[in-house]
Amino acid sequence: MSQQQSLDNVSTDEIPVDIDNTHSAGVDSTDVPDEIESITRGLASEHPPTNPLVVLKAARWWYIHGKGGTDPAFQWAIEWARHLATDTPSDVERFDEFLEYLVTVGFADERHELR
């Protein structure tokens, strides 16, 4: 089963990678694919995803379409995947930055709406 991909929309899974919008500083909530939004919102919830592969899928999207390695959603996803893999406490400050970032992206009007 082969799928045609154009040169500006390449991906290794069903989530497209828009080459023209890589490492952009301004991600808007309408730019985020539904699956990535769901995973990202899950990372901010009381019951975050427990499958590291799912978490890393979101991390990859945020790395490519957000601010690269400095993107707070990418950093939190990596931190959560590390927590899942090693069963060590996660960085609360990084989580707070992630919640603030989701407000700036437009996932919520205020941070408390995300939990």
Side-chain angles (χ1 to χ4, degrees):
M1 174 171 21
S2 176
Q3 181 179 359
Q4 293 292 327
Q5 295 181 336
S6 66
L7 293 177
D8 63 344
N9 184 0
V10 180
S11 182
T12 58
D13 54 27
E14 305 83 39
I15 304 216
V17 174
D18 185 352
I19 302 299
D20 293 333
N21 289 326
T22 57
H23 295 295
S24 65
V27 174
D28 185 82
S29 63
T30 60
D31 298 332
V32 182
D34 291 343
E35 182 180 7
I36 298 303
E37 180 179 352
S38 176
I39 297 167
T40 303
R41 285 180 180 276
L43 287 168
S45 74
E46 295 274 333
H47 303 285
T50 57
N51 183 336
L53 295 177
V54 170
V55 174
L56 292 173
K57 187 176 202 177
R60 177 180 64 102
W61 191 92
W62 285 103
Y63 180 85
I64 293 168
H65 294 94
K67 302 173 185 177
T70 63
D71 188 272
F74 165 77
Q75 290 181 342
W76 177 250
I78 294 299
E79 176 68 12
W80 185 249
R82 182 195 63 77
H83 163 74
L84 292 172
T86 63
D87 198 30
T88 56
S90 53
D91 185 344
V92 174
E93 288 180 27
R94 192 157 292 189
F95 182 68
D96 291 340
E97 291 172 15
F98 166 64
L99 293 179
E100 292 295 330
Y101 181 63
L102 293 185
V103 171
T104 64
V105 169
F107 281 3
D109 292 331
E110 294 184 35
R111 206 176 110 175
H112 73 276
E113 294 175 8
L114 294 164
R115 299 241 341 121

Coordinates of all heavy atoms in Angstrom, one line a residue, residues 23-100:
H23 N 9.9 24.5 11.9 CA 10.6 25.4 12.9 C 10.1 26.9 12.8 O 10.8 27.8 12.9 CB 12.1 25.5 12.6 CG 12.7 24.1 12.9 ND1 12.8 23.6 14.2 CD2 13.3 23.2 12.1 CE1 13.4 22.4 14.1 NE2 13.7 22.2 12.9
S24 N 8.7 27.0 12.7 CA 8.1 28.3 12.8 C 7.9 28.7 14.2 O 7.7 27.8 15.1 CB 6.8 28.3 12.0 OG 5.9 27.4 12.7
A25 N 8.0 29.9 14.5 CA 7.8 30.4 15.9 C 6.4 30.5 16.2 O 6.0 30.6 17.4 CB 8.6 31.7 16.1
G26 N 5.5 30.6 15.3 CA 4.1 30.8 15.5 C 3.1 29.7 15.2 O 2.5 29.7 14.2
V27 N 3.0 28.7 16.1 CA 2.1 27.6 15.9 C 0.7 28.1 16.4 O 0.6 28.7 17.5 CB 2.5 26.4 16.6 CG1 1.4 25.3 16.5 CG2 3.8 25.8 16.1
D28 N -0.3 27.9 15.6 CA -1.7 28.3 15.9 C -2.4 27.0 16.1 O -2.1 26.0 15.4 CB -2.3 29.1 14.8 CG -3.7 29.6 15.2 OD1 -3.8 30.6 15.9 OD2 -4.6 28.9 14.8
S29 N -3.4 27.0 17.0 CA -4.1 25.7 17.3 C -4.8 25.1 16.1 O -4.9 23.9 16.0 CB -5.1 25.9 18.4 OG -6.1 26.9 18.0
T30 N -5.1 26.0 15.1 CA -5.8 25.4 13.9 C -4.8 24.7 13.0 O -5.2 24.0 12.1 CB -6.4 26.6 13.1 OG1 -5.5 27.6 12.7 CG2 -7.6 27.2 13.9
D31 N -3.5 24.9 13.2 CA -2.4 24.3 12.4 C -2.1 22.9 12.9 O -1.4 22.1 12.2 CB -1.1 25.1 12.4 CG -1.3 26.5 11.9 OD1 -2.2 26.7 11.0 OD2 -0.5 27.4 12.3
V32 N -2.5 22.6 14.1 CA -2.2 21.3 14.7 C -3.1 20.2 14.3 O -4.3 20.3 14.5 CB -2.2 21.4 16.3 CG1 -1.8 20.1 17.0 CG2 -1.3 22.6 16.7
P33 N -2.6 19.1 13.7 CA -3.5 18.0 13.4 C -4.3 17.5 14.6 O -3.8 17.5 15.7 CB -2.5 16.9 12.8 CG -1.3 17.7 12.4 CD -1.2 18.8 13.4
D34 N -5.5 16.9 14.3 CA -6.3 16.5 15.4 C -5.7 15.5 16.4 O -5.8 15.6 17.6 CB -7.6 15.8 14.9 CG -8.5 16.9 14.2 OD1 -8.3 18.1 14.5 OD2 -9.4 16.5 13.4
E35 N -4.9 14.5 15.8 CA -4.3 13.5 16.6 C -3.2 14.1 17.5 O -3.1 13.8 18.7 CB -3.7 12.4 15.7 CG -3.0 11.3 16.6 CD -2.4 10.2 15.7 OE1 -2.3 10.3 14.5 OE2 -2.0 9.2 16.3
I36 N -2.4 15.0 17.0 CA -1.4 15.7 17.8 C -2.0 16.6 18.8 O -1.6 16.6 20.0 CB -0.4 16.5 16.9 CG1 0.3 15.6 15.9 CG2 0.6 17.3 17.7 CD1 1.1 14.4 16.5
E37 N -3.1 17.3 18.5 CA -3.8 18.1 19.5 C -4.3 17.2 20.6 O -4.2 17.5 21.8 CB -5.0 18.8 18.9 CG -5.7 19.7 19.9 CD -6.9 20.5 19.3 OE1 -7.0 20.5 18.0 OE2 -7.6 21.0 20.1
S38 N -4.9 16.1 20.3 CA -5.4 15.1 21.3 C -4.3 14.6 22.2 O -4.4 14.6 23.5 CB -6.1 14.0 20.6 OG -6.5 13.0 21.6
I39 N -3.2 14.2 21.6 CA -2.0 13.8 22.5 C -1.5 14.9 23.3 O -1.3 14.7 24.5 CB -0.9 13.2 21.6 CG1 -1.4 12.0 20.8 CG2 0.3 12.9 22.4 CD1 -0.5 11.6 19.7
T40 N -1.4 16.1 22.7 CA -0.9 17.3 23.5 C -1.8 17.6 24.6 O -1.3 17.9 25.7 CB -0.7 18.4 22.5 OG1 0.2 18.0 21.4 CG2 0.0 19.6 23.2
R41 N -3.1 17.7 24.4 CA -4.0 18.0 25.4 C -3.9 16.9 26.5 O -4.0 17.1 27.7 CB -5.4 18.1 24.9 CG -5.7 19.4 24.2 CD -7.1 19.4 23.7 NE -7.4 20.6 23.0 CZ -7.7 21.8 23.5 NH1 -7.8 21.9 24.8 NH2 -8.0 22.9 22.8
G42 N -3.7 15.6 26.1 CA -3.6 14.5 27.0 C -2.4 14.7 27.9 O -2.4 14.4 29.1
L43 N -1.3 15.3 27.4 CA -0.1 15.5 28.2 C -0.3 16.6 29.2 O 0.4 16.6 30.2 CB 1.1 15.9 27.3 CG 1.7 14.8 26.4 CD1 2.6 15.4 25.3 CD2 2.4 13.8 27.3
A44 N -1.4 17.4 29.1 CA -1.7 18.4 30.0 C -2.8 18.0 31.0 O -3.1 18.7 31.9 CB -2.1 19.7 29.3
S45 N -3.3 16.8 30.8 CA -4.4 16.3 31.6 C -4.0 15.6 32.9 O -2.9 15.3 33.1 CB -5.3 15.4 30.7 OG -4.7 14.1 30.6
E46 N -5.0 15.2 33.7 CA -4.8 14.4 34.9 C -4.3 13.0 34.6 O -3.7 12.4 35.4 CB -6.1 14.3 35.7 CG -6.6 15.7 36.2 CD -6.0 16.0 37.5 OE1 -5.6 15.1 38.3 OE2 -5.9 17.2 37.8
H47 N -4.7 12.5 33.4 CA -4.3 11.1 33.0 C -3.6 11.2 31.6 O -4.2 10.9 30.6 CB -5.5 10.3 32.9 CG -6.3 10.2 34.2 ND1 -5.9 9.5 35.3 CD2 -7.5 10.8 34.6 CE1 -6.7 9.7 36.3 NE2 -7.7 10.5 35.9
P48 N -2.3 11.6 31.7 CA -1.5 11.7 30.4 C -1.3 10.3 29.8 O -1.4 9.3 30.4 CB -0.2 12.3 30.8 CG -0.1 12.1 32.3 CD -1.5 11.9 32.8
P49 N -1.0 10.3 28.5 CA -0.7 9.1 27.8 C 0.5 8.3 28.5 O 1.4 8.9 29.0 CB -0.3 9.5 26.4 CG -0.6 10.9 26.3 CD -0.8 11.5 27.6
T50 N 0.4 7.0 28.4 CA 1.4 6.2 29.1 C 2.2 5.4 28.1 O 3.1 4.6 28.4 CB 0.8 5.2 30.1 OG1 -0.2 4.4 29.4 CG2 0.1 5.9 31.2
N51 N 1.9 5.5 26.8 CA 2.7 4.9 25.7 C 3.8 5.9 25.2 O 3.4 6.9 24.6 CB 1.8 4.4 24.6 CG 2.5 3.7 23.5 OD1 3.7 3.8 23.3 ND2 1.7 2.9 22.8
P52 N 5.0 5.6 25.5 CA 6.1 6.5 25.1 C 6.1 6.7 23.5 O 6.5 7.8 23.1 CB 7.4 5.8 25.5 CG 7.0 4.7 26.4 CD 5.6 4.4 26.2
L53 N 5.7 5.8 22.8 CA 5.7 5.9 21.3 C 4.7 7.0 20.9 O 4.9 7.8 20.0 CB 5.5 4.6 20.6 CG 6.6 3.6 20.8 CD1 6.2 2.3 20.1 CD2 7.9 4.1 20.3
V54 N 3.5 7.0 21.6 CA 2.5 8.0 21.3 C 3.0 9.4 21.7 O 2.9 10.4 20.9 CB 1.2 7.7 22.0 CG1 0.2 8.8 22.0 CG2 0.6 6.4 21.5
V55 N 3.7 9.5 22.8 CA 4.2 10.7 23.3 C 5.3 11.2 22.4 O 5.3 12.4 22.0 CB 4.7 10.6 24.7 CG1 5.4 11.8 25.2 CG2 3.6 10.2 25.7
L56 N 6.1 10.3 21.9 CA 7.2 10.8 21.0 C 6.7 11.2 19.6 O 7.3 12.0 18.9 CB 8.2 9.6 20.8 CG 9.1 9.4 22.1 CD1 9.9 8.1 21.9 CD2 9.9 10.6 22.5
K57 N 5.5 10.7 19.2 CA 4.9 11.1 18.0 C 4.5 12.6 18.1 O 4.8 13.3 17.1 CB 3.7 10.2 17.7 CG 3.0 10.5 16.4 CD 1.8 9.5 16.3 CE 1.5 9.2 14.8 NZ 0.4 8.2 14.7
A58 N 4.0 13.0 19.2 CA 3.6 14.4 19.4 C 4.9 15.2 19.5 O 5.0 16.3 19.0 CB 2.8 14.6 20.7
A59 N 5.9 14.7 20.2 CA 7.2 15.4 20.3 C 7.8 15.7 19.0 O 8.3 16.8 18.7 CB 8.2 14.6 21.2
R60 N 7.8 14.7 18.1 CA 8.3 14.9 16.7 C 7.6 16.0 16.0 O 8.2 16.9 15.4 CB 8.2 13.6 15.9 CG 8.7 13.7 14.5 CD 8.5 12.4 13.8 NE 7.2 12.0 13.6 CZ 6.4 12.1 12.5 NH1 7.0 12.6 11.4 NH2 5.2 11.7 12.5
W61 N 6.2 16.0 16.1 CA 5.5 17.1 15.4 C 5.8 18.4 15.9 O 6.1 19.4 15.2 CB 4.0 16.8 15.5 CG 3.2 17.7 14.6 CD1 2.8 17.4 13.3 CD2 2.8 19.0 14.9 NE1 2.2 18.5 12.8 CE2 2.1 19.5 13.7 CE3 2.9 19.9 15.9 CZ2 1.6 20.8 13.6 CZ3 2.4 21.2 15.9 CH2 1.7 21.6 14.7
W62 N 5.9 18.6 17.3 CA 6.2 19.9 17.8 C 7.6 20.3 17.5 O 7.9 21.5 17.3 CB 5.9 19.9 19.4 CG 4.5 19.9 19.7 CD1 3.7 18.9 20.0 CD2 3.6 21.0 19.6 NE1 2.4 19.3 20.2 CE2 2.3 20.6 19.9 CE3 3.8 22.4 19.2 CZ2 1.2 21.5 19.9 CZ3 2.7 23.2 19.2 CH2 1.5 22.8 19.6
Y63 N 8.5 19.4 17.5 CA 9.9 19.7 17.1 C 10.0 20.3 15.7 O 10.6 21.3 15.5 CB 10.8 18.5 17.3 CG 12.2 18.8 16.9 CD1 13.1 19.3 17.9 CD2 12.7 18.6 15.6 CE1 14.4 19.6 17.5 CE2 14.0 18.9 15.3 CZ 14.9 19.4 16.3 OH 16.2 19.7 15.9
I64 N 9.3 19.6 14.8 CA 9.3 20.0 13.4 C 8.6 21.3 13.1 O 9.1 22.2 12.4 CB 8.8 18.9 12.5 CG1 9.8 17.7 12.5 CG2 8.6 19.4 11.1 CD1 9.2 16.4 11.9
H65 N 7.4 21.4 13.7 CA 6.5 22.6 13.4 C 6.6 23.7 14.4 O 6.1 24.8 14.1 CB 5.1 22.1 13.2 CG 4.9 21.2 12.1 ND1 5.0 19.8 12.2 CD2 4.7 21.4 10.8 CE1 4.8 19.3 11.0 NE2 4.6 20.2 10.1
G66 N 7.1 23.5 15.6 CA 7.3 24.5 16.6 C 8.6 25.2 16.5 O 9.2 25.4 15.5
K67 N 9.2 25.3 17.7 CA 10.5 26.0 17.8 C 11.7 25.1 17.9 O 12.7 25.4 18.5 CB 10.4 26.9 19.1 CG 9.3 27.9 19.1 CD 9.2 28.6 20.5 CE 8.0 29.5 20.6 NZ 8.0 30.1 21.9
G68 N 11.5 23.9 17.3 CA 12.6 23.0 17.4 C 12.9 22.5 18.8 O 11.9 22.2 19.5
G69 N 14.1 22.3 19.2 CA 14.4 21.8 20.5 C 14.1 22.6 21.6 O 14.0 22.2 22.8
T70 N 13.8 23.9 21.4 CA 13.4 24.8 22.4 C 11.8 24.9 22.6 O 11.4 25.7 23.5 CB 13.9 26.2 22.2 OG1 13.4 26.8 21.0 CG2 15.5 26.2 22.2
D71 N 11.1 24.2 21.8 CA 9.6 24.3 21.8 C 9.2 23.7 23.2 O 9.5 22.5 23.5 CB 9.0 23.5 20.7 CG 7.5 23.7 20.6 OD1 6.8 23.0 21.2 OD2 7.1 24.7 19.9
P72 N 8.4 24.4 24.0 CA 7.9 23.8 25.3 C 7.1 22.6 25.1 O 7.2 21.7 26.0 CB 7.1 25.0 25.9 CG 7.7 26.2 25.3 CD 8.0 25.8 23.8
A73 N 6.3 22.4 24.1 CA 5.5 21.2 23.9 C 6.4 20.0 23.6 O 6.3 18.9 24.1 CB 4.5 21.4 22.9
F74 N 7.4 20.3 22.8 CA 8.4 19.2 22.5 C 9.2 18.8 23.7 O 9.3 17.7 24.1 CB 9.4 19.7 21.4 CG 10.7 18.9 21.3 CD1 10.6 17.7 20.7 CD2 11.9 19.3 21.9 CE1 11.8 16.9 20.6 CE2 13.0 18.6 21.8 CZ 13.0 17.3 21.2
Q75 N 9.6 19.8 24.5 CA 10.4 19.6 25.7 C 9.6 18.8 26.7 O 10.2 17.9 27.4 CB 10.9 20.9 26.3 CG 12.0 21.5 25.5 CD 12.5 22.8 26.1 OE1 11.9 23.4 27.0 NE2 13.7 23.2 25.6
W76 N 8.3 19.2 26.9 CA 7.5 18.4 27.9 C 7.3 17.0 27.4 O 7.3 16.1 28.2 CB 6.2 19.1 28.2 CG 5.4 18.3 29.2 CD1 4.3 17.6 28.9 CD2 5.8 17.9 30.5 NE1 3.9 16.9 30.0 CE2 4.8 17.1 31.0 CE3 6.9 18.3 31.3 CZ2 4.9 16.6 32.3 CZ3 6.9 17.8 32.6 CH2 6.0 16.9 33.1
A77 N 7.0 16.8 26.1 CA 6.8 15.5 25.6 C 8.0 14.6 25.8 O 7.9 13.4 26.3 CB 6.4 15.5 24.1
I78 N 9.2 15.1 25.6 CA 10.4 14.4 25.8 C 10.6 14.1 27.3 O 11.0 13.0 27.7 CB 11.6 15.1 25.2 CG1 11.6 15.2 23.7 CG2 13.0 14.5 25.7 CD1 11.6 13.9 23.0
E79 N 10.3 15.1 28.1 CA 10.4 14.9 29.6 C 9.5 13.8 30.0 O 9.8 13.0 30.9 CB 10.1 16.2 30.3 CG 10.1 16.2 31.8 CD 11.5 15.9 32.4 OE1 12.5 16.0 31.7 OE2 11.5 15.6 33.6
W80 N 8.2 13.8 29.5 CA 7.3 12.8 29.9 C 7.7 11.4 29.4 O 7.5 10.4 30.2 CB 5.9 13.2 29.4 CG 4.8 12.2 30.0 CD1 4.1 11.3 29.2 CD2 4.4 12.1 31.3 NE1 3.3 10.6 30.1 CE2 3.5 11.1 31.4 CE3 4.8 12.7 32.5 CZ2 2.8 10.6 32.5 CZ3 4.1 12.3 33.7 CH2 3.2 11.3 33.7
A81 N 8.2 11.3 28.2 CA 8.7 10.1 27.7 C 9.8 9.5 28.6 O 9.9 8.3 28.9 CB 9.1 10.2 26.3
R82 N 10.7 10.4 29.0 CA 11.8 10.1 29.9 C 11.3 9.5 31.2 O 11.7 8.5 31.7 CB 12.8 11.3 30.1 CG 14.0 10.9 31.0 CD 14.6 12.2 31.6 NE 13.8 13.0 32.4 CZ 13.5 12.7 33.7 NH1 14.0 11.6 34.3 NH2 12.7 13.5 34.4
H83 N 10.3 10.2 31.7 CA 9.6 9.8 33.0 C 9.0 8.4 32.8 O 9.2 7.5 33.7 CB 8.6 10.8 33.4 CG 7.6 10.2 34.4 ND1 7.9 10.1 35.7 CD2 6.3 9.8 34.3 CE1 6.9 9.5 36.4 NE2 5.9 9.4 35.5
L84 N 8.4 8.1 31.7 CA 7.8 6.8 31.5 C 8.8 5.7 31.3 O 8.6 4.6 31.8 CB 6.9 6.9 30.2 CG 5.6 7.7 30.2 CD1 5.0 7.8 28.9 CD2 4.7 7.2 31.3
A85 N 9.9 6.1 30.7 CA 11.0 5.1 30.4 C 11.8 4.8 31.7 O 12.3 3.6 31.9 CB 11.9 5.5 29.3
T86 N 12.0 5.8 32.6 CA 12.9 5.6 33.7 C 12.2 5.6 35.0 O 12.8 5.3 36.1 CB 14.0 6.7 33.7 OG1 13.3 7.9 33.9 CG2 14.8 6.7 32.4
D87 N 10.9 5.9 35.1 CA 10.1 6.0 36.3 C 10.8 6.9 37.3 O 10.8 6.6 38.5 CB 9.9 4.6 36.9 CG 8.7 4.6 37.9 OD1 7.8 5.4 37.7 OD2 8.8 3.8 38.8
T88 N 11.3 8.0 36.8 CA 11.8 9.0 37.7 C 10.9 10.3 37.6 O 10.2 10.4 36.7 CB 13.3 9.5 37.3 OG1 13.2 9.9 35.9 CG2 14.3 8.3 37.4
P89 N 10.9 11.1 38.7 CA 10.0 12.3 38.7 C 10.3 13.2 37.5 O 11.4 13.3 37.0 CB 10.4 13.0 40.0 CG 11.0 11.9 40.8 CD 11.7 11.0 39.9
S90 N 9.2 13.8 37.0 CA 9.4 14.7 35.9 C 9.6 16.1 36.4 O 9.3 16.5 37.6 CB 8.2 14.7 35.0 OG 7.0 14.8 35.8
D91 N 10.1 17.0 35.6 CA 10.4 18.4 35.9 C 9.2 19.3 35.9 O 8.6 19.5 34.9 CB 11.4 18.9 34.9 CG 12.0 20.3 35.2 OD1 11.4 21.0 36.0 OD2 13.0 20.7 34.6
V92 N 8.8 19.7 37.1 CA 7.5 20.5 37.3 C 7.6 21.8 36.6 O 6.7 22.3 36.0 CB 7.2 20.6 38.8 CG1 6.0 21.5 39.0 CG2 7.0 19.3 39.4
E93 N 8.8 22.4 36.6 CA 9.0 23.7 36.0 C 8.7 23.6 34.4 O 8.1 24.5 33.8 CB 10.4 24.3 36.2 CG 10.5 24.8 37.6 CD 11.9 25.4 37.9 OE1 12.6 25.8 37.0 OE2 12.3 25.3 39.1
R94 N 9.2 22.5 33.9 CA 9.0 22.3 32.4 C 7.5 22.1 32.1 O 7.0 22.5 31.1 CB 9.8 21.1 32.0 CG 9.9 21.0 30.5 CD 11.1 20.2 30.1 NE 12.3 20.9 30.4 CZ 13.5 20.6 30.0 NH1 13.6 19.5 29.3 NH2 14.5 21.3 30.3
F95 N 6.8 21.4 33.0 CA 5.4 21.2 32.9 C 4.7 22.6 32.9 O 3.8 22.8 32.1 CB 4.8 20.3 34.0 CG 3.4 20.0 33.8 CD1 2.9 19.3 32.7 CD2 2.5 20.5 34.7 CE1 1.5 19.0 32.6 CE2 1.1 20.2 34.6 CZ 0.6 19.5 33.5
D96 N 5.0 23.5 33.8 CA 4.4 24.8 33.9 C 4.7 25.6 32.7 O 3.8 26.3 32.2 CB 5.0 25.5 35.1 CG 4.5 25.0 36.5 OD1 3.5 24.2 36.5 OD2 5.2 25.2 37.5
E97 N 5.9 25.5 32.1 CA 6.2 26.2 30.9 C 5.3 25.7 29.7 O 4.8 26.4 28.9 CB 7.7 26.1 30.5 CG 8.6 26.8 31.4 CD 10.1 26.4 31.2 OE1 10.4 25.8 30.1 OE2 10.9 26.8 32.0
F98 N 5.1 24.4 29.7 CA 4.3 23.7 28.7 C 2.9 24.2 28.8 O 2.3 24.5 27.8 CB 4.4 22.2 28.9 CG 3.4 21.4 28.2 CD1 3.3 21.3 26.8 CD2 2.4 20.6 28.9 CE1 2.4 20.5 26.2 CE2 1.5 19.8 28.3 CZ 1.5 19.8 26.9
L99 N 2.3 24.3 30.0 CA 0.9 24.7 30.1 C 0.8 26.2 29.7 O -0.2 26.5 29.0 CB 0.5 24.6 31.6 CG 0.3 23.2 32.1 CD1 -0.1 23.2 33.6 CD2 -0.6 22.4 31.3
E100 N 1.8 27.0 30.0 CA 1.7 28.4 29.5 C 1.8 28.5 28.0 O 1.1 29.3 27.4 CB 2.9 29.2 30.2 CG 2.8 29.4 31.6 CD 1.6 30.3 32.0 OE1 1.2 31.2 31.3 OE2 1.1 30.1 33.1

